[in-house]
Amino acid sequence: MASYNPYQQSPYPQGPPSQSQYGPNGPQSQYSGTPQAGYGRQGTPQQDQGYFPPQGQAGVSNDGGMGGLTGQMGGMGLGGDAAAPYRPNKKKNRHAYHNLEQPSGPPQAFGAPPPGQFGHTNADTSQQYGTDYPYAGQQVTPAMNQFPAPASAPFSPGLQAPNQTFGQPSQPNPAVAGPGVSQGKVDPEQIPSIPRFRDAAAQYYLDHVYPTMEQHLPPPAAVPFVAHDQGNSSPKFARLTLNNIPSTQEALTTTSLPLGIVLQPLAPLQDGEQAVPVLDFGDVGPPRCRRCRTYINPFMTFRSGGNKLVCNMCTFPNDVPPEYFAPTDPSGVRVDRAQRPELTMGTVEFMVPKEYWAKEPVGLHWLFLIDVGQEAINRGFLQAFCEGVLLALYGDHQQEEEDGEETNGEAREIPRRIPLGSKVGFVTFDRAMYFFNCNAKLDQAQMLVMPDLEEPFVPLGSDGLFVDPYESKSVITGLLQRLPSLFSGNKAPEPALLPALRATQAALALTGGKIVCSLSALPTWGPGRLFLRDKNDLHGIDTERKLFQTEHAEWRTMASKMVASGIGVDFFLAAASGGYMDIATIGHISAVSGGETYFYPTFSAPRDVQRLTKEIERTVTRETGYQALMKVRCSNGLQVSSYHGNFLQHNFGADLELGSVDADKALGVMFSYDGKLDSKLDAHFQCALLYTTASGERRVRCTNTVASVSESMPEVMRFLDQDAIVTMIAKEAATRMTERTLKDIRNALTEKTIDILAGHRRTGSVSHPPGQLVLPENLKEFGMYILGLLKSRAFKAGHEPSDRRTHTMRFLKSASPLEISLFLYPRIVPLHSLPDNSCFPDPETGHLIVPPCLRASFGRIEDGGAYLVDDGQICLLWLHEHVSPNLLEDLFGPGNTNLADLDHSLSSLPVLETHLNAQARNLIAYWSSVRGSKALTLQLARQGLDGAEYEFARLLVEDRNNEAQSYVDWLVHLHRGIQLELSGQRRKEEGEGVGAGLEGAMAGLSNLIGR
């Protein structure tokens, strides 16, 4: 993660605004009694009756645990789940690697800093968190017992008493049945809260390291943390859905939980984490098992004095090569183990010899394929794209040079933003193609026109088309600055995209590389021309799924050729006035090749220019590899059953092929049983990614993960990874969009949620009365995440353009757990009531103090408020119609006192020396570092003025909208389904919900909330 030095400090006043500064002013009379933050409101907020159905304003409670929910919803039997007692297994030699030893000492033995030295705060320390967080107090799983030196104290907020310090275990809260609904209305504040859950974890991991072996329950995906690799890979690279696996398929079936792993092999690391070591074993390559080809890892054991290497996957005893031999000590541990990263760290990279090469590795070749059609010019998209490429290649130094800044009379040296050996090339297209020679020896770029669309070829040699961007900086800069004027008279509205892709594929066929393509209109010219398929006549019927996939054979063939050549494609699509772009067909190439599609459905300059340029910069500067193959291996007794993500696989069982792979891409792997697992042994998983780095080195990145095996279902339920489970379900549901109707998928998601919660009820909480809703301790927020998934653009009921649905589908298939977590439940912070010290560095630690987030419900929105809302894809600044003029001046500058007069195309806050402005900018800077591939730029959503207000309403996922239920109604829906399942009366129907009888229960609950 980025360091936090950019946060503003001394130039801004640290005290609260004075009463005179924020006194009553017209309709803002409620601000006369402003508390310290200066922008609050008095009394109970009045809800906008025309915005959402009325919902009672719930009071804030410090008890976020399920005990409070039990009292509130006792008549419906909603209760909390006491944690199952821990029963340590006393079997001797329980694990295959029980003789391995970890070098004693603190975590920094491997380069990780000690606890308390990591760069951010995620919550206001004054807030008292409830019992919504299940990670602390967790006993060390049996798999970690051989590591005696804890990196940090165990932590389990989910098991704490209200006044107890984090990190100290306590007795769980008992589940108590309430007297009935008649004695109190439902309090939505008492149901599980994702913001409170995240804030509690963030506060803890601010000062604690996550040790990957001593604790086996990863932090929430949306929370920054520093992982200490103790032999088990960091959750940033791999997250198992179950960290304690049932021994048989039958036991897993009773839980209805998915057994899988979410892999993000090139995930970015945070400041303070040790870099992934790169190891070179020369021409012999890294040691591997001769039977199953597993790479050497910390869980392989040595026998016969170090002469035999026993594979942890298939248990085959391999002969140790003479060049790798080292003796073992009396306990069976190699004497050089501490000096061998491959034996002590879960994630490593191996340099590989020529037998692993498909072609000679070279530096990554970037080819920018730029649309210069009429639509791109008229909308300012061409100008913005060229600015983005300049920013990606040269950063802010480009602007400094234009301003004439020099050091000692010489131009300032520009640091490389892409590795040495990487090259770039430029091709533009409309109804023809234009290749540019940017050789450094030229005064300006030379253009060659290719009008042949049927059989295009590359009219330039590689020396002219692909150049070092820093040697040819003046030529490239001049070209990109001249492109908009060069094609300003272009009257061709119809681009020919497929022929341009064929030509660029031919240009990169010998080396592989990455294509970054812009497009601003439906390509209706030349071979592979597309047409308007979405005519609004297929929505809501079985054939709608045809709109989510391409039926164009030429585009499918092109995608396969890209992968075979080791080429990935990223698209930047700007729809004209929200027009149809056929993302299902165009984006198919990026999906299959491992690339990404950035979609701007209503692109508007200058509003979206900053977002576009930042996302181009992210695409070019993030860690990227190409010519990639991936293989996932697992222990005997398990087998891979399916993959979910964006890749090419010719037949099941073959390696996954990716033209390119980058730091933001993740995929899911599901496993099934082909035998019974031995509970005395552990289950192991290894992901091997063979790829060429951007600097031109052929490597294998190995990610090793271990899980315990148990015959006790309560023990299995104690170590569930909620984020991994939600991510796997989302990826699988997205995969099914081309096979099933949206209604069937929504019903399947509902049924799956009920099955999982009912399975826990049967296996892990049999002591509770049948009428209680008992949520697993580690899945308390699971229901809300699934509700957010049902309300997403991919699966929501009602009309939605097929481009939007398809884009969201592909995003879910390739997104990381971090991105999916934020996407399903956004973070919301009120700016008008920020405490004085919030969003400024802590004077003692230097960490930024980040305020707690609000629940995503309109019932939490105050009259006159200003709110930042971020779902990882867009960031809205929502302003109430009665917002204080003083607040507007502090945010946007003097004279900006009228909401209607604000610039609707604003994409960032101006830099002002006001307290509130500095707070908002610091918060945005922090959020931008805890995010995926999408750039964080502001979009105004002024109540009653901007169309983005509807997007704001959609992000309030706890409320009822369209045909989707509110959070409370949804819990009652699930509870009734669980009761029917436990009583044997549940009937699953393809096209219907769980049962029509639920409608009455949900309507009754709505009436209670609306009082």
Side-chain angles (χ1 to χ4, degrees), residues 960 965-974 1002 1005-1006 1009:
R960 181 188 295 110
Q965 304 161 351
S966 69
Y967 185 18
V968 178
D969 292 348
W970 170 246
L971 282 181
V972 175
H973 184 104
L974 296 179
M1002 290 185 289
L1005 181 58
S1006 299
I1009 297 177

Side-chain angles (χ1 to χ4, degrees), residues 913-945:
E913 292 194 5
T914 63
H915 191 81
L916 181 63
N917 181 273
Q919 286 180 306
R921 287 187 292 107
N922 285 346
L923 179 61
I924 291 172
Y926 166 74
W927 276 0
S928 65
S929 69
V930 189
R931 201 174 170 87
S933 63
K934 305 302 187 296
L936 194 155
T937 57
L938 280 185
Q939 183 173 353
L940 284 185
R942 298 167 294 178
Q943 188 178 27
L945 295 174

Side-chain angles (χ1 to χ4, degrees), residues 428 433-437 445-449 479 483 486-487:
T428 62
M433 288 160 282
Y434 311 88
F435 293 78
F436 292 90
N437 183 347
Q446 295 177 343
M447 182 175 74
L448 288 84
V449 182
L479 170 64
L483 273 182
L486 184 64
F487 292 94

Side-chain angles (χ1 to χ4, degrees), residues 190-263:
Q190 294 299 319
I191 59 181
S193 167
I194 290 178
R196 188 185 296 116
F197 169 77
R198 290 173 178 170
D199 290 343
Q203 180 64 23
Y204 174 77
Y205 283 108
L206 169 66
D207 297 317
H208 294 79
V209 178
Y210 173 73
T212 62
M213 288 296 289
E214 295 169 28
Q215 294 184 12
H216 234 186
L217 192 58
V223 169
F225 63 93
V226 170
H228 168 41
D229 190 337
Q230 297 176 317
N232 192 30
S233 286
S234 166
K236 297 176 181 179
F237 299 116
R239 299 181 79 108
L240 279 168
T241 56
L242 284 70
N243 292 289
N244 208 337
I245 299 175
S247 57
T248 63
Q249 178 70 60
E250 293 73 18
L252 178 67
T253 302
T254 61
T255 67
S256 297
L257 290 165
L259 175 56
I261 189 171
V262 181
L263 298 167

Side-chain angles (χ1 to χ4, degrees), residues 536-720:
N536 296 327
D537 56 347
L538 298 179
H539 293 273
I541 60 178
D542 291 350
T543 53
E544 182 180 8
R545 60 178 178 268
K546 292 182 179 179
L547 298 175
F548 308 146
Q549 56 188 324
T550 179
E551 297 177 350
H552 208 300
E554 291 181 276
W555 288 81
R556 290 183 177 274
T557 301
M558 188 73 259
S560 299
K561 286 184 178 180
M562 290 287 187
V563 178
S565 302
I567 304 170
V569 185
D570 285 353
F571 284 107
F572 290 81
L573 307 181
S577 303
Y580 180 66
M581 294 290 288
D582 200 354
I583 289 181
T585 298
I586 297 173
H588 175 76
I589 292 181
S590 62
V592 170
S593 67
E596 186 167 0
T597 299
Y598 295 86
F599 184 40
Y600 310 89
T602 55
F603 181 85
S604 175
R607 184 194 66 195
D608 296 321
V609 169
Q610 185 182 19
R611 177 184 169 195
L612 173 64
T613 55
K614 284 187 175 182
E615 288 177 347
I616 295 173
E617 180 184 25
R618 172 72 177 178
T619 295
V620 174
T621 57
R622 65 188 172 190
E623 183 176 5
T624 302
Y626 67 105
Q627 295 181 25
L629 294 173
M630 179 182 286
K631 180 75 172 180
V632 178
R633 298 177 174 88
C634 53
S635 295
N636 285 343
L638 296 173
Q639 61 184 358
V640 174
S641 61
S642 61
Y643 295 94
H644 301 288
N646 291 336
F647 50 79
L648 178 65
Q649 187 178 29
H650 291 289
N651 54 71
F652 187 76
D655 293 349
L656 305 185
E657 299 181 36
L658 302 101
S660 67
V661 60
D662 60 65
D664 295 319
K665 298 300 180 295
L667 57 85
V669 185
M670 293 287 289
F671 301 98
S672 61
Y673 290 75
D674 61 1
K676 181 179 180 180
L677 298 178
D678 188 349
S679 59
K680 298 178 182 178
L681 305 176
D682 292 321
H684 298 271
F685 306 87
Q686 184 181 83
C687 166
L689 176 70
L690 174 64
Y691 73 107
T692 304
T693 67
S695 59
E697 294 180 340
R698 195 70 171 160
R699 300 179 184 175
V700 171
R701 175 164 292 198
C702 289
T703 302
N704 300 282
T705 311
V706 63
S708 300
V709 178
S710 177
E711 297 179 353
S712 168
M713 296 314 298
E715 191 172 336
V716 169
M717 301 300 289
R718 289 176 57 81
F719 297 99
L720 306 179

Side-chain angles (χ1 to χ4, degrees), residues 117-379:
Q117 294 184 8
F118 309 105
H120 40 283
T121 296
N122 290 43
D124 183 358
T125 54
S126 64
Q127 180 175 358
Q128 175 64 51
Y129 298 105
T131 56
D132 285 20
Y133 184 63
Y135 291 94
Q138 55 169 299
Q139 291 86 353
V140 176
T141 59
M144 277 73 72
N145 283 340
Q146 75 277 14
F147 296 96
S152 58
F155 168 55
S156 186
L159 305 178
Q160 293 186 57
N163 296 323
Q164 195 165 4
T165 304
F166 286 140
Q168 297 180 0
S170 64
Q171 296 299 320
N173 296 324
V176 182
V181 177
S182 60
Q183 296 190 14
K185 67 179 181 179
V186 175
D187 184 358
E189 192 62 31
Q190 294 299 319
I191 59 181
S193 167
I194 290 178
R196 188 185 296 116
F197 169 77
R198 290 173 178 170
D199 290 343
Q203 180 64 23
Y204 174 77
Y205 283 108
L206 169 66
D207 297 317
H208 294 79
V209 178
Y210 173 73
T212 62
M213 288 296 289
E214 295 169 28
Q215 294 184 12
H216 234 186
L217 192 58
V223 169
F225 63 93
V226 170
H228 168 41
D229 190 337
Q230 297 176 317
N232 192 30
S233 286
S234 166
K236 297 176 181 179
F237 299 116
R239 299 181 79 108
L240 279 168
T241 56
L242 284 70
N243 292 289
N244 208 337
I245 299 175
S247 57
T248 63
Q249 178 70 60
E250 293 73 18
L252 178 67
T253 302
T254 61
T255 67
S256 297
L257 290 165
L259 175 56
I261 189 171
V262 181
L263 298 167
Q264 190 178 354
L266 301 183
L269 295 174
Q270 184 171 309
D271 290 344
E273 293 183 309
Q274 182 178 359
V276 176
V278 180
L279 311 175
D280 190 354
F281 286 87
D283 292 338
V284 297
R288 302 180 66 179
C289 174
R290 289 195 294 115
R291 176 190 288 175
C292 68
R293 305 303 293 162
T294 297
Y295 289 86
I296 184 73
N297 62 77
F299 306 107
M300 287 185 173
T301 55
F302 290 87
R303 295 179 182 173
S304 303
N307 289 288
K308 291 291 184 180
L309 176 64
V310 181
C311 177
N312 59 311
M313 298 288 181
C314 65
T315 68
F316 181 76
N318 298 269
D319 293 330
V320 176
E323 64 274 8
Y324 193 63
F325 173 80
T328 58
D329 62 19
S331 62
V333 177
R334 280 176 62 119
V335 295
D336 65 345
R337 181 173 182 269
Q339 288 75 46
R340 291 280 187 181
E342 73 274 15
L343 300 180
T344 56
M345 297 188 66
T347 303
V348 296
E349 281 196 342
F350 301 108
M351 300 286 289
V352 293
K354 290 185 177 181
E355 63 188 83
Y356 291 80
W357 297 1
K359 58 184 72 173
E360 184 76 21
V362 296
L364 181 57
H365 284 46
W366 294 88
L367 203 159
F368 295 94
L369 183 60
I370 305 173
D371 177 11
V372 292
Q374 183 181 30
E375 196 66 40
I377 296 170
N378 293 344
R379 302 187 66 83

Side-chain angles (χ1 to χ4, degrees), residues 494-498 519 521-525 528-531 555 581 586:
E494 303 169 317
L497 178 59
L498 187 61
L519 184 68
L522 185 68
T524 56
W525 188 263
R529 65 179 63 88
L530 303 178
F531 57 91
W555 288 81
M581 294 290 288
I586 297 173

